[in-house]
Amino acid sequence: VRAIDVKRLPTVRNGMLSMWRFVRFVLGYRRSQKRHPQRVAVETSADRCTHCGRCVKLCPTGAIVAGDELRTDAAKCIRCCACVKGCPVGARSYDSPFAPVLSRNFAQRKRNLTLM
């Protein structure tokens, strides 16, 4: 029988705890949005945009108009981020309030698991 040094065992983070923290944040965010509504729209970098028109073609709601690619109509935008993903030069970005919380709560990658 070998002795096991408990200090050397890898610590396993509880995924449910991370999920609970994120759900708590989302519920608090939704409550604050009811009191103080705020529409977050996709932003476009004027110096990086080449006006190629790809974002106009990719937008399913028509929130981006050809010739005025720098502006996104926040009332029409459904925040699908199709324009952000499809921009060939990376000129479009979406600063979500959930991004920092997601990275903080789910920063640790899962271990690889092989299923047979």
Side-chain angles (χ1 to χ4, degrees), residues 59-95:
C59 183
T61 61
I64 307 165
V65 181
D68 190 18
E69 289 90 359
L70 297 177
R71 196 177 71 77
T72 303
D73 187 2
K76 289 183 180 179
C77 181
I78 59 172
R79 291 170 252 353
C80 66
C81 293
C83 60
V84 175
K85 295 174 197 166
C87 183
V89 293
R92 300 183 75 74
S93 65
Y94 180 69
D95 186 25

Side-chain angles (χ1 to χ4, degrees), residues 42-50 70 83-84 87-93:
V42 175
E43 296 176 4
T44 308
S45 175
D47 55 331
R48 295 181 85 181
C49 183
T50 59
L70 297 177
C83 60
V84 175
C87 183
V89 293
R92 300 183 75 74
S93 65

Side-chain angles (χ1 to χ4, degrees), residues 31-56:
R31 266 187 248 116
S32 71
Q33 284 295 304
K34 287 180 183 176
R35 282 182 254 137
H36 310 287
Q38 181 180 14
R39 301 227 12 130
V40 181
V42 175
E43 296 176 4
T44 308
S45 175
D47 55 331
R48 295 181 85 181
C49 183
T50 59
H51 300 281
C52 65
R54 185 170 178 156
C55 56
V56 177

Side-chain angles (χ1 to χ4, degrees), residues 95-105:
D95 186 25
S96 167
F98 299 108
V101 176
L102 282 169
S103 66
R104 186 172 58 244
N105 288 331

